[in-house]
Amino acid sequence: MEAMAQPKYKGKRYRLDKPELLAPAGNLEKLKFAVHYGADAVYIGGQKYGLRSNADNFSFEEMKEGVEFAAKYGAKVFVATNIYAHNEDIEGIEEYLRSLQDAGIAAIIAADPAIIEVAKRAAPKLEVHLSTQQSTLNWQAVKFWKDEGLPRVVLGRETSLEEIATIKEHVDIEIEAFIHGAMCSSFSGRCVLSNHFTDRDSNRGGCCQSCRWKYDLFEDGREDAAGWVSEEDQLMQQAAPAPAPFKPGVTQIPLFQPQDNPFTMGSKDLCMLEHIPDLIEVGIDSFKIEGRMKSIHYVATVVNVYRQAIDSYMADPENYVLKPEWIEEINKAANRPLNTGFFYDTPDHEDHIYEPEEKAVPYDFAGLVMEYDEETGIAVIQQRNHFKPGDEIEFFGPDGTFFKQAVGRIEDQHGQELDAARHPLQLVRMKVDQPVRFFDMMRKRKN
């Protein structure tokens, strides 16, 4: 990630309260990593009514376990129930919401007024947070939802810092905003391309992310009144095969040559790490990270970096300094190029990805520290990806662990030397150069 421009927000600044760091959790294991690495709250999906139907999602038993784990760290668990419901979706919603309440869930994230009203009546101990799916962008709309009894609004991603300041000036309510992760190319999730292309309803959890697909583009050829097509257009059609013409006498001119990259229309990802002071001082109550479908390595890395940045700022606002190593860490988890979204200005053509994106994260989650012996310096590592002696690796953890080394001799639990750790969840023993702790992660650069 290249260094971004200096903050351009010069508006009102309201307070220095410590914001909530809200992390995604696509399954129970990711929830535990998110909390262990510093999240104040996590948002998850149940097996109904959420917008990530392809995620693992949680059973009620897993929710209870997640709530109990989070409570040990003083963290909360929210559940996304943010579909726009059709008539057939409503049956069973009361029982589902009561079950969430019984599981100890702190709040639901909802968009549909029907679900909101049912929750208020049937599960009054559940807080209801308004989903970003409602595309709430102005203070009067926020006031409407406060008057409806909602304690928190998740703003649309199109909201600027100046607009957030105006909202905070007019309405005393908790504001949650996305500060890191993927951006929808449509208006806060109102896209229906997925519905038309694949019969998967974006607003009922089925988005196929068609904005990330690769497309060919064609231009209708030029013709005169007699239907004559120029020789140049005919040659262009022959040079790069195109679908059959829409009508006789009209050539579809390919805008790409065979060697060109196909066209995409996805947005760059959001990253506000370099602008933590602006986010805090404008009064955002909850910093939300996108990514319930992302990997454990992504969740742990991003949460850990924002945790450090927030805590560092709150400890000494006047002398806060953005550390270069935080940016380096974010780069190790970044899936796409990064920008600041709508916070400072309206994104333009430079904020979109028009060619196939480089999705490969440069690092793999290679192992999880299970035990460490201070006398011998031997750690027990649970294998998560193939590694072998000689590999360059890094250790990092929520308590400040960070160092690099080469993998030396590795053994199984019986002391037998191994030429590689190649079996999923295999426990191996290896000497580490510095002390490590339970739940520290080991990663290696991809080849």
Side-chain angles (χ1 to χ4, degrees):
M1 181 175 72
E2 297 180 358
M4 297 180 187
Q6 291 299 310
K8 292 170 280 187
Y9 173 68
K10 304 297 181 184
K12 292 183 179 180
R13 297 175 184 265
Y14 288 93
R15 58 170 176 72
L16 293 174
D17 294 346
K18 192 171 186 176
E20 171 187 270
L21 181 57
L22 177 57
N27 58 36
L28 185 57
E29 185 178 36
K30 291 176 185 178
L31 180 152
K32 293 179 179 179
F33 272 89
V35 171
H36 197 80
Y37 275 74
D40 299 305
V42 294
Y43 63 101
I44 67 175
Q47 295 179 346
K48 293 181 179 180
Y49 307 111
L51 286 184
R52 289 294 181 268
S53 59
N54 290 330
D56 290 345
N57 292 324
F58 285 65
S59 66
F60 291 121
E61 291 74 19
E62 289 173 325
M63 287 182 190
K64 291 177 182 178
E65 183 176 345
V67 167
E68 291 174 0
F69 180 89
K72 295 177 183 177
Y73 292 82
K76 298 178 180 179
V77 180
F78 307 151
V79 171
T81 57
N82 51 348
I83 68 166
Y84 282 105
H86 290 242
N87 289 326
E88 62 266 27
D89 297 321
I90 295 299
E91 183 178 356
I93 186 65
E94 287 196 23
E95 180 182 357
Y96 180 79
L97 294 172
R98 289 194 189 98
S99 295
L100 295 183
Q101 180 176 266
D102 293 342
I105 298 301
I108 60 168
I109 305 167
D112 193 311
I115 294 176
I116 292 170
E117 290 304 307
V118 171
K120 289 161 61 177
R121 182 185 73 251
K125 293 181 181 179
L126 283 177
E127 283 192 2
V128 180
H129 299 170
L130 187 72
S131 171
T132 189
Q133 292 296 106
Q134 268 289 348
S135 301
T136 308
L137 306 172
N138 64 78
W139 72 264
Q140 293 188 63
V142 172
K143 184 177 184 300
F144 170 85
W145 289 110
K146 181 184 179 181
D147 292 345
E148 287 293 305
L150 275 60
R152 179 183 295 192
V153 167
V154 187
L155 295 176
R157 286 174 171 87
E158 301 80 18
T159 318
S160 70
L161 283 172
E162 290 186 359
E163 289 171 321
I164 293 173
T166 301
I167 291 169
K168 295 297 291 188
E169 181 179 5
H170 286 87
V171 188
D172 182 15
I173 193 173
E174 290 183 3
I175 293 298
E176 181 179 309
F178 283 95
I179 54 90
H180 192 95
M183 297 282 285
C184 187
S185 293
S186 185
F187 200 84
S188 274
R190 300 301 180 90
C191 178
V192 293
L193 285 179
S194 178
N195 303 54
H196 290 298
F197 289 171
T198 66
D199 198 26
R200 289 167 51 182
D201 192 336
S202 300
N203 287 313
R204 297 168 86 186
C207 179
C208 66
Q209 297 195 358
S210 48
C211 57
R212 307 288 184 187
W213 291 3
K214 300 175 183 178
Y215 292 90
D216 292 319
L217 296 183
F218 299 90
E219 177 187 17
D220 281 354
R222 296 169 290 281
E223 63 174 327
D224 65 11
W228 176 82
V229 180
S230 71
E231 181 179 358
E232 177 188 6
D233 285 355
Q234 293 181 43
L235 290 173
M236 289 184 69
Q237 184 184 37
Q238 295 169 7
F246 290 120
K247 59 182 179 178
V250 177
T251 303
Q252 286 183 268
I253 308 302
L255 299 182
F256 293 138
Q257 297 303 314
Q259 69 272 19
D260 292 337
N261 285 323
F263 175 84
T264 68
M265 52 184 168
S267 169
K268 293 180 179 179
D269 281 1
L270 174 66
C271 177
M272 289 296 288
L273 176 63
E274 296 190 35
H275 308 287
I276 293 297
D278 283 355
L279 297 177
I280 294 175
E281 293 172 19
V282 80
I284 298 174
D285 298 275
S286 180
F287 290 7
K288 189 169 192 174
I289 298 168
E290 182 274 339
R292 280 195 282 141
M293 301 285 285
K294 298 290 179 61
S295 69
I296 290 172
H297 175 253
Y298 173 92
V299 171
T301 300
V302 174
V303 170
N304 194 32
V305 170
Y306 277 96
R307 178 78 281 152
Q308 292 180 63
I310 293 169
D311 291 349
S312 178
Y313 178 82
M314 296 306 301
D316 190 359
E318 296 299 323
N319 297 301
Y320 172 78
V321 176
L322 176 74
K323 296 182 179 180
E325 54 264 36
W326 294 341
I327 298 176
E328 292 176 10
E329 283 292 290
I330 285 292
N331 279 332
K332 292 171 183 175
N335 280 355
R336 304 182 183 98
L338 304 171
N339 67 9
T340 56
F342 290 79
F343 279 107
Y344 295 108
D345 50 33
T346 300
D348 59 19
H349 65 282
E350 295 182 352
D351 296 296
H352 287 75
I353 303 168
Y354 299 110
E355 295 183 349
E357 54 195 83
E358 282 290 336
K359 281 199 171 185
V361 176
Y363 285 81
D364 273 328
F365 174 24
L368 180 65
V369 175
M370 306 302 293
E371 299 176 19
Y372 173 68
D373 188 322
E374 293 184 0
E375 293 186 3
T376 64
I378 298 293
V380 176
I381 308 294
Q382 185 186 71
Q383 191 262 31
R384 293 304 182 99
N385 267 298
H386 181 281
F387 65 92
K388 63 184 186 302
D391 285 346
E392 294 292 328
I393 56 171
E394 293 180 1
F395 284 95
F396 74 101
D399 296 317
T401 300
F402 184 83
F403 63 93
K404 302 178 182 181
Q405 71 169 75
V407 177
R409 175 188 171 98
I410 57 177
E411 303 174 345
D412 65 17
Q413 287 292 80
H414 304 291
Q416 296 296 314
E417 185 173 4
L418 302 171
D419 64 346
R422 53 172 54 89
H423 304 297
L425 303 183
Q426 177 183 17
L427 294 178
V428 301
R429 293 161 50 85
M430 60 177 282
K431 189 173 180 61
V432 292
D433 292 350
Q434 297 181 29
V436 290
R437 298 176 176 86
F438 174 66
F439 246 68
D440 283 355
M441 296 177 71
M442 184 181 90
R443 64 186 170 206
K444 69 170 186 174
R445 181 181 289 274
K446 292 181 178 179
N447 294 328

